[in-house]
Each structure stands twice: as structure tokens, then as C-alpha cells.
Amino acid sequence: MTLTVTGVLKEYPEGINLSRLIELEKVATPMYVTVALNDDFVESGGFGSTALKDGDKVEFLYFMGGGR
Amino acid sequence: MPAERMADFRPDAAADVTDVVCPVTFVKALAALDELEDGRILEIRLNDGEAARNVPLSLKDEGHQVLRLTDNGDGTCALLVRKVSACPVE
Amino acid sequence: MAFNAEQLARYSRQIILKELGIKGQQKLKQARVLVVGAGGLGSPAAFYLAAAGVGHIGIIDADEVDLSNLQRQILHGTDDVGRPKADSARASLLALNPETEVRALRAFVDAGNIMGFIRDYDFIIDGTDNFPAKFLINDACVLAGKAFSHAGILRFTGQLMTYVPGQGPCYRCVFREPPPPEAVPSCRQAGVIGALAGVVGSLQAMEAVKYIVGAGALLTGALLTYNGLQGDFRKIALSRRADCDVCGEHPSITAPVDYAQAVCDA
């Protein structure tokens, strides 16, 4: 199936859930990433139970604490 | 507007922008217009050349009504412009 | 409010913009912006706001200038090393534009003082370097109904979003609560390119100017990310969280909160 992940259209194995996608995308801080699925936030405890379907749009939002 | 009627325009205020160069000429003209009520006429004294070419165009582009540009014969021009309040810009 | 000839000349390049004009310049002159942190983000943000003719700038920073700051904190010079950043920032802003009213405060923001600091300002710029401060500023602005610009930077990447009361998500909608200390890398551990702070801090100034003059579209309901290594900008659409702890329908946070933080002087 085709997903748009961080703006890039790519093929992924059929029926994967969000946790698997986070592994596949090698997200550096999986414990502390915010995920938006089709512009809505996914609860951080719910990645394993969030199935993805063809055409979904996924964004990973990372903590950035710097500024000084 | 017929030419004979053009002569009738009487300025409500005056501004001199001969002491600055573009785009400050235009900015000074805008500031002078800002002091006026809608429909009032401003007479602007400006230098021949770049200022005389650009300022009328820029004021027109802002939505104001350029009435007349006359050569003063001393290296300056007189520009008559009527204030037209711009629509809010999005 | 009329401008004199020098002011018209100083601001001429922006007054000629249709979106600004004389009216916009007047709004800038009347505006009050608070910059929290006179560092990598706060430096370019405050500099451009002073340059643009923002009438009153507040700047808060508790630290002193260190040699390692100068790679990115452009408000401060080599001669300022050891001097309070608030003082050095004030001097730099006044040197650029003596007409700016600058209120420089040497302080850390905390739950006890933040509401008082933001009260008199129209727009707040978060230029802090730690999560407790970022959440504190978010919560205080939501509670006080103030618009603000959030930003964060790390290595070669940065991000920012703008909160306006009643429009789009707040920072807490996106990130919920601060990560445990040291769970995610800080600038000090991870490094940062000075120009990245310049890019993102300048974008924060841009948001403040747009908010003040009422031009264009703000980064509300969106997170703009910048990847300096790749040269990519991305604008990610975000919606509000109805159950957000501070801006949601049944908020549990009704006053500013202090979080413990790893000691970090960036």
C-alpha cells in the first residue's frame, strides 16, 4: 500500500500498523514522537492498535528544545 | 476629465519631496496623504526624472487618483493627487 | 501619529509594501513584543523587530554572555563576554534603532512570574532553550489569551508554530508534556549551526510582524519545519486537540506550572 510519510509517497507492506511504520522509518525517539495521521494526533499509547490504510498521510513531530 | 476642468483642482495640502530620493519620495507622499481625509487633494513638489516618473505611478498603484503633473520649469514638477482610501489588503 | 523624515527614510523599504504602508508602520510603532531568551532565536528575532520599528521590545534573560554563545547569539559581541545578556541585548537593539523602547530584564521565567511578564505585551516570542520554559510560555499565553510564536532548533533542523487564541492548536496540543530530562537531545549536547538559529528566529520575527500589521497567513494550525542540511521547508497541518490539558474543552491546567529540568545553560 502507498502512504505519504513526512511528505514522501512510498510503498509499504500491506496492513502494517503505526508501531511497525515507526520501526521501518527508524524514528530516533519512538517514545517521544508525536504522530499526526491525516492531520489528527494519535494517542502515544495507541500506535500498536492504529492500523494504516492505503493513502494515509503520516507525520512525525519531534521535540526540539533548543533555542539559545 | 476635460483639460479646462483640471485647472480647477485646488490642493488641500502640500508636500515637498525634492529633498529625498526614491523610494523615500513615495513614502513621504504616502505619509502626507495619510494625514488627509478621503477625497482631499495633495500637491506634491518633486524632482524631474526618476521621482517624476515613479511617484505618480506608485500612487496610482496604491489606488489614489493622479490628477495632474506639471513642469515647474526649475527642475521640479508639481503633482496633484486625490486621496482614495485603499481597500483593506488581505 | 505622524512620522518624521528620518523615520520615513528608515522604514521606507517596508512602508512601500502595500501590506504595510503608513498604517502598518503605525501599528508596529504601537506594538509591544516580549522576547523570552536573548540567545540564538531571540537575537535575530529581537534584532529584526527593533529594525522594523516595533515600538516596545521586552527581553528577558538571566544569563551572562559566554564565548561559546557568540557563534549564534548575534545580539552579543566579543566585548560583551561576562556581561548580563539582558544588558548586552538592550545595548545592541538601541544601537540599531535608538527609537526602540527596550525593557531588559535579568530573570528566569517561572510559574510565579510569567503571567506578570507577558501581561503588558501583544505578542510573545519563545526563544528559550528548554522544555519546561517552552511549556510554561505556552500555558501562560493560552491562559492569558496572548498570541505567541513557539520555536525549537536542534543541529541542522528547526521548527516553529504560531498560537493565536481561538485559532488552531497550542504547543501542548502537539507535544502534551515535557519529555523527561535528557530523554531527547538538547542543543548543548547535540550542537547547532548558528545560521539555523538565524533562519528560525527571523521567521519568528516575521510571524510577529504579520500578526501586528494583520497581513498574510500566520503559522496557526501548522508546524513549519526547516531541514537546513537538505534545504527543505515543510508546513505540516495540525488540528487542535479537544482534550488538550490547557486549551481543550475541560482543561486541567488553570495556572502556570513549573517542571523540573535538567540543568542546562545551552
Side-chain angles (χ1 to χ4, degrees), chain C:
Chain C
M1 178 178 44
F3 292 106
N4 63 34
E6 274 161 30
Q7 291 168 323
L8 292 176
R10 179 186 284 269
Y11 306 119
S12 57
R13 292 303 190 282
Q14 61 194 49
I15 291 176
I16 61 176
L17 298 171
K18 273 206 176 64
E19 291 78 0
L20 246 93
I22 297 285
K23 295 271 184 296
Q25 195 61 49
Q26 286 168 342
K27 287 179 185 168
L28 288 171
K29 191 175 178 182
Q30 285 157 358
R32 302 171 61 88
V33 178
L34 178 67
V35 180
V36 186
L41 293 170
S43 285
F47 245 146
Y48 275 118
L49 293 175
V54 167
H56 181 106
I57 296 175
I59 192 148
I60 304 180
D61 202 301
D63 286 340
E64 281 131 38
V65 179
D66 184 84
L67 196 56
S68 69
N69 299 152
L70 303 185
Q71 164 259 15
R72 63 197 178 284
Q73 303 185 9
I74 57 171
L75 274 174
H76 319 295
T78 306
D79 291 346
D80 295 318
V81 170
R83 190 179 178 193
K85 283 187 187 174
D87 293 353
S88 163
R90 184 170 190 278
S92 298
L93 295 176
L94 290 177
L96 175 61
N97 191 345
E99 291 184 347
T100 318
E101 199 180 294
V102 182
R103 184 173 172 224
L105 293 154
R106 200 176 172 195
F108 285 108
V109 291
D110 61 34
N113 64 23
I114 187 72
M115 296 305 276
F117 281 144
I118 67 172
R119 187 175 50 218
D120 295 334
Y121 290 90
D122 305 312
F123 192 89
I124 292 95
I125 289 185
D126 174 6
T128 64
D129 63 347
N130 64 83
F131 295 111
K134 289 184 186 304
F135 277 86
L136 180 72
I137 291 166
N138 177 76
D139 295 352
C141 288
V142 171
L143 293 169
K146 300 278 183 182
F148 82 102
S149 164
H150 158 83
I153 50 174
L154 190 67
R155 300 192 181 101
F156 289 92
T157 59
Q159 61 190 22
L160 72 157
M161 63 182 283
T162 301
Y163 170 79
V164 175
Q167 296 177 31
C170 75
Y171 178 63
R172 198 180 274 280
C173 285
V174 185
F175 292 108
R176 304 309 295 257
E177 58 180 6
E182 312 302 334
V184 295
S186 74
C187 256
R188 190 170 55 158
Q189 300 156 335
V192 68
I193 291 284
L196 173 78
V199 169
V200 180
S202 301
L203 287 168
Q204 289 187 283
M206 189 74 172
E207 290 294 289
V209 168
K210 288 191 302 181
Y211 177 78
I212 293 162
V213 306
L218 293 166
L219 290 169
T220 51
L223 185 77
L224 184 69
T225 67
Y226 173 61
N227 180 331
L229 265 189
Q230 302 304 322
D232 274 346
F233 276 102
R234 293 196 60 233
K235 190 171 166 181
I236 302 164
L238 299 172
S239 24
R240 266 187 72 199
R241 238 189 246 259
D243 65 346
C244 174
D245 287 335
V246 69
C247 80
E249 280 150 27
H250 306 286
S252 58
I253 296 167
T254 52
V257 199
D258 280 325
Y259 289 96
Q261 67 171 102
V263 177
C264 176
D265 63 10

Side-chain angles (χ1 to χ4, degrees), chain B residues 9 21 24 37 39-40 48 51 59 64 67 69-70 72 86 88-89:
Chain B
F9 292 125
V21 295
V24 185
E37 282 173 34
R40 298 285 173 168
D48 279 347
L59 290 173
H64 300 295
L67 302 172
L69 180 68
T70 47
N72 292 331
V89 179

